[in-house]
């Protein structure tokens, strides 16, 4: 019988990249043609981004190598980077040799800094900003995206340059569409990101971003019925974490995010009556001086819509800790932990049991009363928490307290998985069960213990499966079925006697891993402390027409001790 994995691998293929202009910029480069055509001939120097933006056309991607980029070489505080064409994408985090964004180092390892600290003398005290740029980036075109770009030290003081606002990024009265992914906004003396006048046919999506030490609002959006989505973000020591002014609210959502030690946490203002609520889901909001969640409605044509709050943790926000002290206005909590309680039977008033609240680690300890306490309403299979781990991970020893069959989502921004591994960076496509297959690591991460088991769940019962492993990441879309092979380099196959298994009736399958005998393409190796091993499961499946196909789960990675 032919090996089923070989048949699957025979049809793997890379998806061709879309045709688009790409311009390269490297702040540390001092040789080459300086025309942006390649990494070797990238636009050079800390102001090289100006040249790339001047050469950009609609749809251009600009790739920035790691380094420090400033809008001025002369100390002119009014200089800024200007984006004038629609659909421009600015990607950072490159080491400076990659042929594809997926080849970049992990987030945070090769930082691209757009900084207004023109003299390089800023510190964490926010006291040296009198010579900083008033604005870092001014966007005058729709549908602009930033990916892995870090904005530091902008938005100082009262703007006297005809710019209108001091901020790191300002969508200049034309904020029609914004996407930010894996970015950070840090040490800003005014606003962080301001998107104004966002039209109803556009969207604002901010995902995986970090906002820290922004004296005014870290993220401010004023929209005309435009949906705003903020997910898996963190806000720390900001004047206001997120402020949304909207005509209708239009189902805007903040989810799976942390707000810590800000003035206001999440502030919503609506001007016109609408039935659609804004939503706050799966958030942890701690230590805000004023309030955690506040909604002030204008209600020009009737009672104002409100904000639904669920699956969240609110502790230590505002001067009042009595009933209602964590929220204000038209906020409707359910399935949450709110210090002071007072909002009905689904609201818990207890110690959430954070790992280290004083130190800022707001993950959950084993035994937290928030585990398996949430409701699955509003969540889809495959949703991720702030760490990028899967939501709705059942802890078998904890009774589910929700009101649906899948209600084992935890409260707050972090899911307690009970897994010793990380489910990061690679999410599966739904299989024939309608769910996304995923892996968990159980046992011990100590190599000497040799006690590691990989467990797959949400899988099609009765189908054959095989575990794969590698020390490297990869990204190869599957041509012979749904899913992506997310392993690279030397991929080992657990296809020895007894290792290829049929998935059980409950949609689960598990394999104890002998760390002294890990398969590789032409040999076996003993896994060593300090190594990170990644595991993925290939499985047979049936497509909607009943034909045989192939699928992959997500990845679990384990760093051995």
């Amino acid at each position: 019988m032919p090996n089923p994995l070989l048949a699957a691998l025979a049809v793997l293929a890379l998806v061709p990249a879309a045709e688009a202009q790409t311009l390269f910029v490297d702040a540390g480069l001092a040789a080459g043609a300086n025309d942006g055509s390649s990494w070797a001939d990238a636009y050079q120097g800390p102001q090289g981004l100006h040249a790339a933006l001047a050469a950009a056309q609609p749809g251009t991607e600009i790739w920035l190598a790691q380094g420090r980029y400033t809008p001025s070489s002369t100390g002119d505080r009014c200089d800024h980077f200007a984006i004038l064409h629609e659909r421009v994408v600015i990607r950072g985090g490159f080491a400076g040799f990659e042929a594809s964004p997926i080849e970049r180092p992990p987030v945070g390892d090769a930082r691209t800094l757009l900084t207004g600290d023109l003299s390089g003398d800023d510190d964490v005290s926010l006291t040296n900003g009198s010579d900083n740029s008033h604005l870092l980036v001014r966007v005058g075109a729709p549908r602009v995206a930033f990916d892995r770009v870090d904005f530091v030290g902008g938005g100082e003081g009262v703007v006297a340059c005809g710019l209108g606002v001091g901020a790191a990024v300002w969508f200049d009265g034309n904020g029609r569409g914004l996407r930010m992914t894996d970015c950070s906004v840090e040490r800003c003396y005014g606003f962080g990101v301001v998107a104004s006048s966002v039209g109803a046919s556009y969207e604002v999506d901010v995902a995986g971003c970090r906002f820290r030490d922004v004296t005014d609002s870290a993220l401010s959006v004023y929209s005309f019925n435009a949906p705003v989505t903020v997910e898996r973000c963190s806000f720390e020591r900001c004047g206001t974490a997120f402020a949304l002014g909207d005509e209708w609210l239009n189902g805007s959502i903040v989810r799976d995010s942390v707000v810590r030690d800000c003035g206001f946490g999440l502030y919503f203002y609506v001007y016109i009556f609408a039935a659609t609520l804004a939503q706050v889901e799966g958030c942890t909001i701690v230590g805000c001086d004023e309030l955690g969640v506040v909604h002030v409605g204008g209600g020009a044509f009737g009672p104002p819509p409100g904000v639904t709050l669920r699956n969240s943790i609110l502790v230590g926000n505002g001067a009042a800790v009595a009933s209602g002290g964590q929220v204000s206005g038209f906020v409707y909590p359910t399935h949450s932990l709110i210090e002071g309680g007072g909002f009905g039977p689904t609201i818990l008033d207890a110690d959430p049991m954070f790992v280290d609240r004083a130190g800022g680690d707001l993950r959950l300890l084993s035994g937290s009363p928030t585990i398996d306490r949430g409701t699955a309403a509003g969540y889809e299979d495959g949703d991720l928490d702030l760490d990028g781990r899967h939501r709705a991970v059942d802890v078998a020893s904890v009774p589910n307290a929700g009101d649906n069959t899948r209600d084992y989502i935890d409260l707050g921004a972090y899911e307690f998985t009970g897994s010793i591994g990380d489910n990061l960076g690679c999410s599966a496509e739904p299989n024939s069960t309608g769910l996304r297959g995923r892996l968990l690591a159980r046992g011990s991460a100590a190599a000497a213990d040799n006690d590691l088991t990989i467990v797959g769940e949400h899988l099609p019962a009765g189908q054959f499966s095989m575990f794969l492993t590698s020390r490297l990441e990869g990204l190869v879309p599957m041509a012979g079925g749904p899913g992506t092979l997310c392993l690279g380099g030397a991929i080992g196959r657990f296809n020895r006697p007894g290792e290829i298994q049929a998935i059980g009736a409950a949609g689960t399958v598990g394999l104890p891993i002998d760390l002294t005998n890990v398969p590789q393409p032409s040999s076996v190796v003993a896994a060593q402390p300090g190594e990170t091993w990644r595991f993925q499961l290939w499985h047979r499946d049936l497509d909607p027409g009943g034909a045989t196909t192939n699928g992959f789960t997500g990845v679990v990675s384990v760093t051995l001790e």
Side-chain angles (χ1 to χ4, degrees):
M1 173 180 168
N3 187 314
L5 182 63
L6 294 179
L9 295 180
V11 293
L12 291 176
L14 287 172
V15 174
E19 292 295 329
Q21 180 190 33
T22 300
L23 299 176
F24 301 83
V25 187
D26 189 340
L29 190 66
N34 193 28
D35 61 8
S37 59
S38 66
W39 285 122
D41 295 319
Y43 291 117
Q44 302 169 11
Q47 287 80 51
L49 178 55
H50 281 300
L53 290 170
Q57 299 296 320
T60 295
E61 286 205 4
I62 298 175
W63 293 8
L64 299 175
Q66 61 186 332
R68 189 173 181 271
Y69 297 82
T70 57
S72 176
S73 61
T74 64
D76 188 341
R77 302 179 68 200
C78 294
D79 284 346
H80 57 276
F81 297 114
I83 301 176
L84 302 177
H85 295 291
E86 65 177 340
R87 295 180 287 107
V88 168
V89 178
I90 299 182
R91 300 189 191 275
F94 290 92
F97 60 82
E98 296 87 346
S100 167
I102 67 172
E103 298 176 359
R104 288 177 291 183
V107 175
D109 283 2
R111 297 187 69 190
T112 296
L113 304 178
L114 270 58
T115 178
D117 179 16
L118 302 179
S119 56
D121 61 353
D122 280 12
D123 57 30
V124 295
S125 65
L126 291 174
T127 57
N128 295 330
S130 60
D131 56 355
N132 282 32
S133 299
H134 289 297
L135 182 65
L136 284 175
V137 179
R138 184 178 187 178
V139 181
R143 296 189 176 95
V144 169
F146 298 97
D147 172 37
R148 294 201 196 180
V149 178
D150 298 325
F151 306 90
V152 181
E156 195 282 327
V158 177
V159 176
C161 311
L163 300 175
V165 65
V169 182
W170 178 33
F171 280 72
D172 182 6
N174 195 16
R176 295 171 294 172
L178 161 66
R179 183 179 298 274
M180 296 181 68
T181 307
D182 292 327
C183 296
S184 72
V185 179
E186 305 172 23
R187 301 198 305 276
C188 291
Y189 297 79
F191 290 88
V193 178
V194 179
S196 61
S197 303
V198 182
S201 60
Y202 301 92
E203 296 182 356
V204 174
D205 294 307
V206 181
C209 295
R210 302 161 301 284
F211 298 82
R212 180 180 298 174
D213 296 314
V214 179
T215 59
D216 213 305
S217 293
L219 176 60
S220 299
V221 180
Y222 178 72
S223 69
F224 294 97
N225 200 22
V228 179
T229 301
V230 178
E231 58 183 342
R232 293 183 293 104
C233 292
S234 64
F235 302 84
E236 185 176 354
R237 298 189 301 271
C238 299
T240 298
F242 170 64
L244 172 64
D246 205 327
E247 294 292 323
W248 303 95
L249 288 183
N250 197 40
S252 295
I253 187 168
V254 181
R255 67 189 309 174
D256 303 320
S257 297
V258 160
V259 178
R260 176 172 174 257
D261 299 333
C262 294
F264 284 104
L266 308 174
Y267 194 105
F268 302 83
Y269 191 95
V270 65
Y271 297 89
I272 299 174
F273 166 74
T276 306
L277 303 176
Q279 303 170 66
V280 176
E281 295 182 349
C283 291
T284 299
I285 305 173
V286 174
C288 295
D289 292 337
E290 303 296 334
L291 289 168
V293 180
V294 59
H295 172 253
V296 179
F301 300 106
V307 177
T308 61
L309 171 70
R310 61 190 173 204
N311 290 358
S312 296
I313 299 173
L314 278 73
V315 176
N317 301 290
V321 181
S323 176
Q326 308 292 304
V327 300
S328 177
F330 297 91
V331 180
Y332 309 110
T334 181
H335 294 88
S336 295
L337 185 151
I338 301 178
E339 185 179 13
F343 292 96
T346 64
I347 302 302
L348 180 67
D349 180 11
D351 181 358
M353 296 178 61
F354 296 129
V355 170
D356 182 7
R357 176 178 172 180
D361 189 343
L362 302 180
R363 296 171 180 85
L364 304 175
L365 289 169
S366 176
S368 168
T370 67
I371 295 173
D372 289 3
R373 183 85 185 191
T375 173
Y379 280 85
E380 297 180 1
D381 186 67
D383 283 345
L384 306 177
D385 74 352
L386 182 55
D387 273 339
R389 297 182 173 91
H390 288 285
R391 278 292 194 182
V393 176
D394 191 17
V395 178
S397 61
V398 177
N400 298 332
D403 50 16
N404 292 304
T405 57
R406 271 200 327 116
D407 285 337
Y408 34 80
I409 288 174
D410 300 341
L411 306 185
Y414 299 102
E415 187 80 6
F416 182 83
T417 66
S419 174
I420 61 172
D422 291 325
N423 300 93
L424 305 176
C426 180
S427 181
E429 294 297 321
N431 55 49
S432 60
T433 69
L435 304 177
R436 302 172 196 265
R438 66 185 178 201
L439 299 184
L440 298 175
R442 307 291 193 192
S444 171
D449 291 345
N450 199 13
D451 179 23
L452 176 65
T453 297
I454 306 300
V455 178
E457 59 182 17
H458 296 173
L459 300 169
Q463 298 293 337
F464 283 104
S465 66
M466 180 190 301
F467 286 90
L468 312 173
T469 189
S470 176
R471 282 168 284 198
L472 297 177
E473 295 178 88
L475 192 66
V476 183
M478 185 72 175
T484 301
L485 177 65
C486 296
L487 305 179
I491 300 175
R493 296 175 249 166
F494 291 90
N495 59 358
R496 297 167 294 196
E499 291 181 334
I500 296 178
Q501 304 176 63
I503 297 167
T508 62
V509 64
L511 181 69
I513 306 298
D514 183 356
L515 294 175
T516 69
N517 192 23
V518 180
Q520 291 291 272
S522 59
S523 64
V524 296
V525 299
Q528 301 297 318
E531 293 179 341
T532 297
W533 284 86
R534 296 168 172 84
F535 299 88
Q536 191 168 19
L537 183 74
W538 166 88
H539 62 85
R540 288 290 194 192
D541 204 355
L542 299 177
D543 67 18
T548 300
T549 183
N550 304 288
F552 284 112
T553 65
V555 167
V556 64
S557 63
V558 180
T559 300
L560 299 177
E561 301 168 355

